[in-house]
Amino acid sequence: MVEKDESGPGGISEEEAAQYDRQIRLWGLEAQKRLRASRVLLVGLRGLGAEVAKNLILAGVRGLTLLDHQQVSQEDTRAQFLIPVGSLGRNRAEASLERAQNLNPMVDVKADPESVESKSQEFFTQFDAVCLTCCSRESMVRINQICHKNGIKFFTGDVFGYHGYMFADLGDHEFVEEKPKVAKVTTGVEDGPEAKRARLDPAETTMVKKVSGESPGGIWGGQTPKNQR
Amino acid sequence: MGAAVGAAAPELAQAVSQARLLKNLVLTGFSSIYVIDLDTIDVSNLNRQFLFQKKHVGRSKSQVAKESVLQFCPEANIIAYHDSIMNPDYNVEFFRQFTLVMNALDNRAARNHVNRMCLAADIPLIESGTAGYLGQVTVIKKGVTECYECQPKPTQKTFPGCTIRNTPSEPIHCIVWAKYLFNQLFGEEDADQEVSPDRADPEAAWEPAEAEARALASNEDGEIKRVSTKQWAKSTGYDPVKLFTKNFCGTYKYSCSSFFFSFFPKEQNKSDQQNESSAMLKDQQVLNVRSYADLFSKSVKTLSLHLAEKADGEALIWDKDDPSAMDFVTSAANLRMHVFGMNMKSRFDIKSMAGNIIPAIATTNAVIAGLIVLEGLKILSGKIDQCRTIFLNKQPNPRKKLLVPCALDPPNPNCYVCASKPEVTVKLNTHKVTVLTLQDKILKEKFAMVAPDVQIDDGKGTILISSEEGETEANNHRKLSDFGIRNGTRLQADDFLQDYTLLINVLHSEDLEKDVEFEVVGDAPERIGPKPSEPTPKNISNGSDDGAQPSTSTAPEQDDVVIVDSEDEGTSSNADDVENKSRKRKLEKGCECVGAKRVRNLLLPLDKVIHVMSYCNSTLSWDVKNVQN
């Protein structure tokens, strides 16, 4: 795994700035640094798990632990693009490790062949976020309670053919919402001579910080659906 | 690539077995996948294009994608072309061999072209695109749905010459000017990219002293007018001070001396202190004027060396990923902003605007890729009636939907592409417009023809333009009226590659607006009032604009602006209802899902309205205007 250089301007290395450029332009440098500092646990490496792993690794999290006690089956070879040909019978997490790591050497990717049900409470507290797939209801409830108690972001989801679901319990958290900037009569400070006329620039937006007061139980999609103006 | 449909949980095996079977049947039916992309891999692609790794940077995208896919699916039959889809080798017959075409393009010209090819070959086309968190998928089938060009899409924002040359009021004007200056000095000179102040502009308020100075200067420099900017620059040895003086001190309102003083500030500028925080990337810092003057000087020297290394007659092409070219535009634009009293911008921001960068992430692309495949499956199983336009929004709608399907609209009977006998009326001055303008600006740029042939509908079939190189070159600089073209004349324009014939009615007019060479009658009029702040105009190209040659990563990231006709609401909470009710819903009062007629105002994270495209991740041509959620 490539060491990250924290000493670059902005707190990330030039290599990272170049690689993450297109996403930094979307969610900002601050968000990228937070991703870069977070450790995530991913349980279940079937098709859905592989997708989630790919997305998290490409985003540039600090570390991702792939946890799966199952072995690679025939079905897995069709839907899971991290597992190389000829891996039938291998542990799924371990079989996925190499391809996953190659997606982004700057992420610390680990494989754990144990069952999630055998993990103690302490195990989960090393993570900032936990994502479960292919888990039994009992497991989901148990782990959700552990996460909620410890302020760990909790996600779970699964797919069934053309159907699927995702659930998130983010506890009390802060988030930002994008709002349009309201037109102001400028006094020529920002712009050129024409600035004196009031100009509504709908493309200008501002990020507004909000705090969620969500009670345990989580919310759909991980965001408040309320449309606040 | 993108989203693979996950395996079913055992307890639901029964319910999904049919779907899986269908998928397997369908997939078994894929005999081969052809992949075409002219681009090569860049490091900035790696945050989302997961088939590529660092070691692949510089290599062909289509080739590496194929190799990576074969790693996990060795039995896939993939044919990769490192080429432009607009290459005439890919004719109608080529397209006819496919059951389905999926677009993942990043520019309007290519989308228009593939649209026409698929119409000509009568092959279903899945169009798509993404921009940041937003995405869209739609299906195009000749005779069944709207084609890509049925609804007019707004052309990329352009600025009047006088705004660029005389009266910039926004940073973007200065950035456009800087890119023009790059071309005048180092690139292909373009008569439409003048940088010197337009003295004919009535709004140019020359101060008396200034006017006199100019008169004197022009007498002395009288010779300069006869020499191209590039030749003059060369004659000075690309001396940065001389270049600076000519291009920046010539601007009115500021005398040379006061401007020069600003480069030697006694105290540190405020901006220096702000930049000390580590909350910014190096590129996100805004430097002081002196630093940009130095950067201008440095980049001019480097670029003049690059130009000297080129063969005779060859020019540099502006590329946002070329450090000196980017340095040049950053410094020149900022110096101009400073002169005109605007706050300067960081290299990071200028790069976004100058390079038409659309932010992009893996997840949006994964969602859209999944949707593309799902629409594809419907088509392949003969259920095109179930196809939809689907929008991926940033926030759930009032019905709590993030993904919103809308019924596909039938073809526009007056579409100038897919109607049975397409026809348009073009307003222009026949005494002023040349044959070359007709070919390049009207037929190629506006009507997206690639290799047009034009004859006059005069009973004699007089050939005005031939797509065969050299045949009608002599006509290029002659005016249309020279050929007897006047009000009411009809021209027949053909693009044989696209199997496309367009009848053009000429409407002669002498009162077009300044800087406007032609108008297509029936085009949506320009919006009055608040406009979205849009990035560089369409005649600014980054690197190889039309992407006609297989290239390095100088191919534009995107150069297109398309309108999102995104009516997001309108479906019930039960997805099945869409099929039953969507048609009826269109007629209901207050119906939100009316298809591509209304434009919502979209808020963008950055004030950019261009779509991004990468081969592996299907992205979409977005017409994103401002949307108020």
Side-chain angles (χ1 to χ4, degrees), chain A residues 164-215:
Chain A
Y165 80 92
M166 190 277 280
F167 173 88
D169 174 8
L170 306 180
D172 288 336
H173 61 281
E174 284 183 345
F175 63 98
V176 285
E177 218 172 77
E178 204 172 353
K179 295 260 152 121
K181 260 193 191 151
V182 181
K184 278 197 290 242
V185 180
T186 59
T187 53
V189 173
E190 271 281 334
D191 309 290
E194 279 93 5
K196 287 206 177 129
R197 60 183 160 85
R199 211 179 13 210
L200 174 67
D201 192 353
E204 288 275 324
T205 61
T206 184
M207 303 303 266
V208 177
K209 235 183 187 172
K210 291 183 182 285
V211 177
S212 115
E214 247 47 44
S215 54

Side-chain angles (χ1 to χ4, degrees), chain A residues 108-125:
Chain A
D108 181 13
V109 187
K110 295 206 236 304
D112 187 331
E114 292 184 13
S115 160
V116 71
E117 297 178 2
S118 70
K119 296 295 191 187
S120 68
Q121 194 169 172
E122 281 82 48
F123 172 76
F124 296 98
T125 58

Side-chain angles (χ1 to χ4, degrees), chain A residues 9-10 15 19 22-23 25-26 29 33 51 58 75 78 85 99 160-162 178 190 192 194 202-203 205 229, chain B residues 2-3 7 12 19 44 47 54 71 74-75 169 278-280 348 352 359-360 374 394 557 603-606 626 629:
Chain A
E15 184 190 2
Q19 184 169 317
R22 300 300 188 262
Q23 59 199 41
R25 289 177 192 275
L26 182 64
L29 183 62
K33 282 155 82 169
E51 281 293 321
L58 290 175
E75 213 175 86
R78 299 307 307 169
V85 173
R99 290 261 180 84
F160 314 94
Y162 286 115
E178 204 172 353
E190 271 281 334
E194 279 93 5
T205 61
R229 288 279 226 135
Chain B
L12 290 176
S44 64
N47 78 315
K54 193 113 194 233
Q71 292 284 306
E75 66 269 24
S169 56
S278 72
M280 288 194 257
F348 190 80
S352 260
L374 292 180
K394 249 197 284 192
E557 191 94 1
L603 288 172
L604 296 175
L606 303 173
N626 298 313
N629 229 333

